[in-house]
Amino acid sequence: MAIKNDYDAIVVGSGITGGWAAKELTEKGLKVLLLERGPNLRHGVDYKTEHKPPWEFAYRDQGDRKQYRDEYQIQSQCYAFGEATKNFFVNDKQNPYTHDPDKPYSWIRGYQLGGRSLMWARQSYRLSNLDFEANAHDGIAIDWPVRYEEIAPWYDYVEEFIGVSGQAEGLPQLPDGIFQPPMEMNCVELVLKERIEKKYSDRMMTIGRAAVLTQPKAGRAACHYCGPCERGCSTGSYFSSLSATLPVALATKNLTIRPDSIVHSVIYNESKDRASGVRVIDANTHDVQEFSAKIVFLCASTLGTTQILLNSSTPRYSNGLANSSGVLGHYLMDHTYESGASGTFPGFEDKYYSGRRPNGIYIPRFQNITHKNSNYLRGYGFQGSAQRPGWRRGVDIPGFGAEFKHALREPGPWRMGLDGFGECLPRKENHVKLDSQKVDAWGIPLLKINATWSENERQIEKDASITAAEMLENCGAKDVVPYINDTPPGLCIHEMGTARMGNNPKTSVLNKYNQCHDVSNLFVTDGSFMTSSACQNPSLTYMAFTARACNYAVGEMKKGNL
């Protein structure tokens, strides 16, 4: 088939990293084609449920349970899924993948322009050298090819653009960034912070660092605390591809966006040893087209990108493009979460708060930093918040009639929760491959996922639950309830690895600039490049590495190396 369309660069995927790649490459003068497998979505205009009240939904915002069970069995596990946001999540029945019955994996996806940047949790933390040196220190997997000092300027660059609210704390394990003013803690959180820092010399509590504006920025308004961020944000107060990066890229007039374009594979020119473009299936017509470019950036999310590379095998790379190392698809990671504790804080019944702050608190990692925990490697951070439940709590408690409804007019007791987000070790046995028997509606082999938690992650979950309960009780909480919800890998939506970076082409897919060792004009900048997972939310790191990779790629093009 003849190649019909030529560009300087092709970017696959329009989520957080795809948006950044499009912005950076177009601003540097390249003609860019952005391919998105889902439909087009207009910022603001298409956030149909943004401020829709519960009583205007067919199921009063509680959803059609039969439909959830039949068509959204996986997606409905996500905290952000609901009747108001269902349109931002894939239909599981129409977008299947496989795994062994005893190894469940929850692959949460959003196929539309902007991808999951529309419903992400916006928590934005830097990794530190504690993280970049961890594998080498512990003798786990391979060493990162970069250190914090190399990526720090790119964290600065990204934070300055997206707008991150937060408080500088001077912690070596959680480097400070360029922050907008922090959001305020409420009365219970302030008391808990004071008590934790008084009782525990190795711990502190800060307000979450969130990609949500507290001051106006570049046409985006400061957050007004309306609450349901996952429905879309027409004011652009939280960062997304639609609110921030894609408008800048479009303004250059160098960007072409092509939605409904499912990338089947990367086209490899063996004689030139280069990627020459991509092969695309129209999501609606199933027509096949090919597009060519000088460089290709894969930003289709960790598993989406790896599926494309595995499906791009050639005579030279029979087990997946750019996979001479044989590690493509391996070392899949996520974060453990939903292990922690909650408790009631009495004595604040006369206090309340206004608005729905789109953020919580953060207790940075304290385990295995100054004191070694012999039960496991690495550690976890706590995220949480103190809240008073409103009338909606009536859905889950017994009662009826006028007296019951009258009681719901008063807010419930203050409850404080701490939820541990734990690091997952990179293990070769956690891997993905193409299913040899099953294909999707477009004839592409399904992804078969094999992932389990190791004993190290189990120990982290256990310790996070016990420690959260101890901290809450020691700080004055009552009715403390520890929990470990035993969530499957994937549900934290921090899937990472499967195309890791490293210095040695024999043990890694990418070099330190997210460039494939084997195919020099092919770059991968979504979460698949991660060599270890740390315990911090990873999206800020993805964005920083993407911007850096774009700068490197264009520099190499100017030198004539690509």
Side-chain angles (χ1 to χ4, degrees), residues 36-332:
E36 166 54 50
R37 66 175 293 148
N40 187 35
L41 201 70
R42 296 165 296 175
H43 177 56
V45 176
D46 291 329
Y47 305 152
K48 302 293 186 184
T49 65
E50 184 179 10
H51 293 124
K52 191 174 181 178
W55 52 87
E56 292 185 7
F57 289 92
Y59 294 89
R60 303 298 185 262
D61 204 19
Q62 299 301 303
D64 181 346
R65 283 176 289 182
K66 182 179 185 305
Q67 185 188 41
Y68 289 4
R69 185 174 60 249
D70 294 345
E71 301 178 30
Y72 295 91
Q73 189 176 22
I74 301 300
Q75 308 307 305
S76 60
Q77 298 171 13
C78 177
Y79 73 95
F81 180 92
E83 189 172 359
T85 58
K86 178 169 62 67
N87 56 312
F88 288 163
F89 290 82
V90 303
N91 183 309
D92 291 313
K93 191 174 181 180
Q94 297 171 359
N95 297 275
Y97 60 96
T98 65
H99 56 75
D100 290 338
D102 61 340
K103 297 178 180 177
Y105 187 91
S106 297
W107 188 9
I108 306 300
R109 292 166 286 171
Y111 292 162
Q112 60 269 322
L113 191 67
R116 292 185 302 194
S117 77
L118 294 175
M119 63 281 201
W120 70 307
R122 307 165 302 282
Q123 292 294 296
S124 301
Y125 302 98
R126 297 186 178 200
L127 270 60
S128 72
N129 272 340
L130 179 71
D131 307 304
F132 288 118
E133 297 174 359
N135 280 359
H137 178 271
D138 297 331
I140 298 290
I142 61 170
D143 190 15
W144 278 85
V146 298
R147 290 295 182 263
Y148 177 71
E149 291 73 19
E150 297 175 62
I151 198 66
W154 295 99
Y155 277 129
D156 292 347
Y157 179 72
V158 167
E159 288 167 342
E160 176 64 35
F161 179 81
I162 69 176
V164 177
S165 62
Q167 178 69 51
E169 302 287 1
L171 300 173
Q173 75 271 35
L174 192 74
D176 296 327
I178 298 175
F179 298 137
Q180 290 203 335
M183 297 182 189
E184 294 182 357
M185 294 187 195
N186 60 42
C187 59
V188 169
E189 292 165 346
L190 287 169
V191 168
L192 180 63
K193 171 183 170 62
E194 180 183 354
R195 293 175 181 175
I196 285 176
E197 294 173 4
K198 184 177 181 180
K199 291 179 179 293
Y200 301 95
S201 60
D202 60 345
R203 301 168 204 182
M204 62 85 58
M205 181 169 134
T206 188
I207 189 68
R209 295 172 179 176
V212 180
L213 301 182
T214 52
Q215 293 178 336
K217 188 177 190 62
R220 299 164 52 203
C223 178
H224 56 283
Y225 289 18
C226 67
C229 305
E230 61 275 10
R231 298 184 185 186
C233 180
S234 59
T235 60
S237 303
Y238 78 69
F239 169 80
S240 72
S241 296
L242 296 192
S243 69
T245 46
L246 292 185
V248 171
L250 286 167
T252 66
K253 301 187 184 303
N254 288 328
L255 180 65
T256 300
I257 297 176
R258 194 176 194 277
D260 299 311
S261 299
I262 298 173
V263 173
H264 172 278
S265 52
V266 176
I267 303 168
Y268 174 68
N269 186 321
E270 191 152 333
S271 63
K272 296 182 178 178
D273 195 20
R274 293 285 192 276
S276 58
V278 297
R279 188 172 292 108
V280 171
I281 301 173
D282 188 288
N284 300 313
T285 67
H286 290 213
D287 290 341
V288 178
Q289 277 190 280
E290 295 182 354
F291 298 89
S292 67
K294 298 180 180 67
I295 58 174
V296 176
F297 270 67
L298 294 181
C299 306
S301 84
T302 291
L303 297 182
T305 284
T306 301
Q307 185 177 24
I308 291 170
L309 288 172
L310 290 171
N311 200 41
S312 305
S313 58
T314 71
R316 178 176 294 182
Y317 301 108
S318 59
N319 60 347
L321 186 60
N323 190 25
S324 65
S325 66
V327 301
L328 177 66
H330 293 275
Y331 302 98
L332 174 64

Side-chain angles (χ1 to χ4, degrees), residues 384-462:
S385 64
Q387 296 178 327
R388 300 190 74 176
W391 63 267
R392 283 174 177 263
R393 71 188 188 281
V395 174
D396 298 320
I397 59 177
F400 66 95
E403 184 178 350
F404 177 67
K405 288 191 286 186
H406 182 75
L408 293 178
R409 292 177 179 173
E410 297 296 323
W414 282 95
R415 293 283 298 181
M416 179 77 209
L418 296 177
D419 198 74
F421 283 61
E423 178 161 355
C424 171
L425 296 179
R427 294 184 293 131
K428 187 175 183 179
E429 57 265 38
N430 280 349
H431 69 274
V432 299
K433 62 181 181 180
L434 298 182
D435 193 301
S436 60
Q437 304 295 322
K438 299 178 180 178
V439 298
D440 64 16
W442 299 275
I444 298 173
L446 300 187
L447 206 58
K448 184 170 185 177
I449 304 173
N450 183 91
T452 59
W453 298 124
S454 71
E455 181 60 23
N456 200 74
E457 285 93 53
R458 295 297 189 193
Q459 288 296 324
I460 284 178
E461 288 182 315
K462 180 180 178 181

Side-chain angles (χ1 to χ4, degrees), residues 338-360:
E338 293 198 10
S339 58
S342 64
T344 300
F345 272 81
F348 300 89
E349 289 75 13
D350 61 338
K351 294 181 171 57
Y352 200 60
Y353 50 85
S354 61
R356 300 170 182 171
R357 186 190 65 198
N359 193 12

